[in-house]
């Protein structure tokens, strides 16, 4: 997975505590990230309907939906795409005992195991939302929302 996933997850959490659009420059400075690369990730989240983007001097990014409706899988898929993590290239078709016309993606024990792991991973991410993570962070670190709002205000 790319760094962009981690950046997008944390940015969505931070935006869940804010009521107004935040410019890329402030979001990038929050974690000392390269603004151009972060902006690329944020644009992917806009295309996926997770964020909205407003132009102008008071513009920036904000959540497009309630945090409880944004799953971690939504964010990962927006950045990485919907493809399975493991890609079976059917190398068994080149080895001894190969059979013409066999789809090794279906019969390969490794492909089967990896597909099962991928489905379990996706179920776990689909079952957890930004609101769930937000509640967990607020429980363990109740100062986080206020600290985030103060830091973003400094960076604007």
């Amino acid at each position: 997975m790319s760094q962009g996933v981690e950046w997008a997850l944390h940015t969505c959490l931070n935006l869940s505590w804010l009521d107004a659009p935040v410019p890329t420059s402030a979001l990038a400075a929050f974690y000392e990230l390269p603004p151009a690369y972060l902006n690329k990730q944020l644009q992917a989240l806009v295309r996926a309907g997770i964020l909205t983007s407003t132009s102008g001097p008071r513009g920036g990014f904000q959540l497009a939906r309630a945090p409880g409706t944004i799953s971690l899988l939504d964010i990962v898929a927006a950045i990485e795409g919907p493809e399975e993590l493991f890609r079976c290239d059917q190398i068994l078709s080149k080895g001894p005992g190969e059979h013409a016309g066999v789809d090794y993606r279906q019969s390969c024990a490794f492909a089967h195991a990896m597909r099962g792991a991928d489905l379990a991973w996706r179920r776990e991410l689909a079952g957890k939302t930004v609101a769930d993570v937000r509640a967990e962070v607020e429980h363990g670190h109740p100062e986080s929302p206020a600290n985030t709002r103060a830091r973003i205000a400094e960076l604007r």
Side-chain angles (χ1 to χ4, degrees), residues 20-41:
V22 181
T24 303
S25 58
L27 294 169
F30 194 92
Y31 293 116
E32 299 179 9
L33 303 174
Y37 189 60
L38 178 61
N39 190 63
K40 179 181 172 187
Q41 310 314 310

Side-chain angles (χ1 to χ4, degrees), residues 11-149:
T11 298
C12 286
L13 175 62
N14 289 340
L15 289 172
S16 78
W17 289 316
L18 302 165
D19 296 328
V22 181
T24 303
S25 58
L27 294 169
F30 194 92
Y31 293 116
E32 299 179 9
L33 303 174
Y37 189 60
L38 178 61
N39 190 63
K40 179 181 172 187
Q41 310 314 310
L42 300 178
Q43 291 299 329
L45 295 175
V46 169
R47 286 189 298 278
I50 295 168
L51 299 182
T52 58
S53 176
T54 307
S55 56
R58 295 195 185 276
F61 294 91
Q62 64 188 111
L63 292 181
R65 307 188 321 238
T69 67
I70 303 169
S71 76
L72 302 189
L73 182 60
D74 293 337
I75 296 169
V76 171
I79 302 300
E80 294 293 315
E83 296 82 26
E84 292 181 357
L85 295 176
F86 178 78
R87 185 185 70 220
C88 177
D89 287 330
Q90 302 192 65
I91 65 170
L92 289 176
S93 67
K94 308 289 189 241
E98 53 83 22
H99 301 288
V102 172
D103 183 351
Y104 288 99
R105 292 170 296 197
Q106 301 303 317
S107 62
C108 174
F110 287 120
H112 182 73
M114 297 301 274
R115 192 174 308 108
D118 187 67
L119 288 172
W121 178 78
R122 289 176 186 278
R123 268 190 229 109
E124 182 71 21
L125 293 178
K128 188 161 280 227
T129 67
V130 172
D132 296 330
V133 173
R134 180 174 139 167
E136 185 178 327
V137 170
E138 289 174 358
H139 178 75
H141 306 278
E143 71 285 356
S144 289
N147 287 348
T148 298
R149 286 189 286 273

